[in-house]
Amino acid sequence: MQTQPTASHFINGAYVEDKSGEDIRVVYPATGEVIATLHAATPAIIEQALASARAAQKEWAKWTGTERGRVLRRASEIMRERNHDLSVLETYDTGKPYQETSVVDATSGADALEYFGGLAAAITGEHIQLGDDFVYTRREPLGLCVGIGAWNYPTQIACWKAAPALACGNAMVFKPSETTPLCALKVAEIMIEAGAPAGVYNVIQGYGAVGASLITDPRVDKVSLTGSVPTGRKVYAAAAEGIRHVTMELGGKSPLVIFDDANLENAVSGAILGNFYSSGQVCSNGTRVFVQSGIKEAFLTRLTERLKGVKMGDPQDPKVNFGPMVSERQRDIVEGFIAKGKQEGARLVTGGNRVDLPGFYLEPTVFADVTDDMTIATDEIFGPVMSVLSFETEEEVLSRANATDFGLAAGVFTADLTRAHRMAAGFEAGTCYINTYNDAPVEAPFGGSKQSGVGRENSKAAIEHYSQIKGVYVRMGDLEAPF
Ligand code: NAD
């Protein structure tokens, strides 16, 4: 593969290797073959990364917003020019079909770089007049930010964290998931080519222990994690020790509510996009599909017909639209949930099996007659498993939809305008969809409520999470004191 990175880490503007670090084997999920062996960061590598980021940040923060923005926008152009190669690599890293990666991964990373590149010059403080005196605010960077990624969108996650962080004048040390370590290294290469000073964006590899040691270093000002709730709990607690800023993009078990009056074809499309895109490995997926009883059977019939359009095979083939699970381990986890669904009495409508192909494929799976207390309706599965539940009234479905500790996303399909907005207002979730599902444009905030997260990525809201305000009080007259 010509597009592969040439070493494990990218620090201070260059590739760096330290073979004494623990092996990280990169497995192509479509074949099970090891396509690269990288090494986890040793304490010496971690030290180099943190020291170079700390030093680079001081200089980077002195650049004007326009200058920093220009670098990010140039990086976005390079990403778009290299979209094909980056998409091929993303497919090797994750197993997601090229049909998806070529339109979603490097492109959404480029969108983030372009958007925050455009905003960088507009990140300003304000002036507050107080009679003759006044206060002005400075919007300052936080300093050194650590990013820790999940394995489902490695390029996108690297860019969604880097773009707002760098726009605000921070430096970043990013640790990708050990399952998909390749793509973020390419983002680091591109940043340097685009003119970012060495050390402003560094990538180091490792398992959870490397992430844990980054968070507790006293030089680190913020940590932004994309991962599961259990990891989020640990990372949040470790960050709290040092009173560090956090962004937590965690898991979900989101509801997708389909009313009788919905356009059936669109609702089925929403359920497919919200359950089977990226083989179901999407945090915001609407995996609890509540269908009003009047259209439940019609919904299941049409869904089953539409699933005949699934085409599995070599994910690098642009005609293939459904890839394998990211790893053998993830396939085993998902199979465990499928077994549990059967055991607890859900009706298997379609799928549920492995596929006769090399690699870690699982069929898209639909369960009906699912009840709220079944494991497949309460736990995040993170695979191609849809649970269909039925309901009668709006009030009932809203209360059942919200009866979860997660709060990442929620969707509603209906032709009734006021009901759609009532539902959106009632959902306890950070991102809601009306007659669509899983869109994530950079212009809109993305993130969770309840246990699904803290903070927001994308949109102007992300600036709040990568900068802090300093108030400067200026007195124009004499200063009185009691004695
Ligand atoms: P994970 O929680 O197992 O790992 C996430 C990252 O945290 C990895 O890089 C891992 O090495 C690191 N890590 C593990 N233990 C750590 C520790 N103690 N300290 C610091 N870092 C540690 O998650 P995953 O399996 O890679 O990804 C799937 C999960 O991510 C799902 O729950 C999914 O919903 C979630 N996710 C959320 C979003 C979002 O935006 N909300 C996006 C994608 C994925």
Side-chain angles (χ1 to χ4, degrees), residues 149-152 175 178 212 226-228 231 249-251 283 380 382 446:
W151 43 254
N152 57 343
K175 188 201 85 64
E178 59 273 29
T226 299
S228 61
T231 303
E249 289 290 351
L250 308 178
C283 53
E380 184 183 48
F382 226 59
F446 185 83

Side-chain angles (χ1 to χ4, degrees), residues 148-153 157 160 175-179 206-213 215 225-232 234-235 238 248-252 281-284 329-330 380 382 408 446-448 452 457:
I148 299 178
W151 43 254
N152 57 343
Y153 282 83
I157 292 170
W160 280 18
K175 188 201 85 64
S177 164
E178 59 273 29
T179 310
Y207 298 89
V210 171
S213 64
I215 305 160
L225 169 78
T226 299
S228 61
V229 173
T231 303
K234 286 188 224 159
V235 171
M248 295 279 141
E249 289 290 351
L250 308 178
Q281 303 166 118
V282 179
C283 53
S284 49
R329 178 169 173 268
Q330 191 62 20
E380 184 183 48
F382 226 59
L408 191 54
F446 185 83
S452 291
E457 295 196 306

Side-chain angles (χ1 to χ4, degrees), residues 62-101:
K62 289 182 190 157
W63 289 33
T64 66
T66 306
E67 290 165 339
R68 289 198 298 266
R70 195 175 299 138
V71 169
L72 298 181
R73 281 181 283 115
R74 176 76 192 116
S76 100
E77 282 164 19
I78 300 174
M79 285 196 77
R80 289 193 209 287
E81 282 158 19
R82 299 201 191 141
N83 184 47
H84 170 72
D85 284 358
L86 293 169
S87 305
V88 167
L89 187 68
E90 175 95 18
T91 291
Y92 275 117
D93 226 1
T94 61
K96 290 185 296 180
Y98 178 84
Q99 195 185 96
E100 286 186 18
T101 57

Side-chain angles (χ1 to χ4, degrees), residues 132-350:
D132 289 339
D133 298 344
F134 60 94
V135 170
Y136 65 91
T137 63
R138 292 166 50 89
R139 189 162 278 282
E140 298 183 341
L142 300 175
L144 199 174
C145 301
V146 163
I148 299 178
W151 43 254
N152 57 343
Y153 282 83
T155 305
Q156 182 186 83
I157 292 170
C159 293
W160 280 18
K161 296 191 189 307
L166 269 53
C168 292
N170 303 286
M172 178 163 273
V173 175
F174 183 76
K175 188 201 85 64
S177 164
E178 59 273 29
T179 310
T180 54
L182 302 176
C183 298
L185 291 164
K186 287 292 177 187
V187 175
E189 264 182 48
I190 288 171
M191 291 288 197
I192 289 292
E193 277 185 64
V200 160
Y201 183 70
N202 308 278
V203 174
I204 65 170
Q205 308 296 344
Y207 298 89
V210 171
S213 64
L214 285 172
I215 305 160
T216 45
D217 190 283
R219 287 166 289 188
V220 170
D221 300 294
K222 162 160 188 144
V223 54
S224 175
L225 169 78
T226 299
S228 61
V229 173
T231 303
R233 216 169 264 129
K234 286 188 224 159
V235 171
Y236 202 174
E241 274 297 306
I243 322 286
R244 297 194 172 87
H245 298 259
V246 294
T247 296
M248 295 279 141
E249 289 290 351
L250 308 178
K253 187 74 194 177
S254 301
L256 171 55
V257 178
I258 299 168
F259 284 94
D260 281 350
D261 63 354
N263 174 310
L264 182 63
E265 214 50 34
N266 288 342
V268 170
S269 295
I272 289 173
L273 288 171
N275 281 271
F276 300 129
Y277 205 72
S278 301
S279 299
Q281 303 166 118
V282 179
C283 53
S284 49
N285 271 355
T287 48
R288 287 183 294 143
V289 182
F290 292 94
V291 186
Q292 204 164 14
S293 54
I295 55 160
K296 197 184 85 179
E297 287 313 318
F299 172 84
L300 288 172
T301 305
R302 191 61 192 125
L303 176 66
T304 314
E305 280 164 16
R306 293 268 301 267
L307 286 176
K308 294 195 182 111
V310 166
K311 188 163 169 28
M312 297 189 231
D314 175 5
Q316 299 287 0
D317 174 350
K319 291 194 283 304
V320 165
N321 59 20
F322 192 86
M325 301 278 82
V326 75
S327 64
E328 191 169 12
R329 178 169 173 268
Q330 191 62 20
R331 181 181 61 186
D332 292 348
I333 292 171
V334 176
E335 278 185 323
F337 280 110
I338 293 172
K340 200 95 184 160
K342 291 180 190 161
Q343 195 188 320
E344 293 180 2
R347 169 162 62 102
L348 183 64
V349 176
T350 181

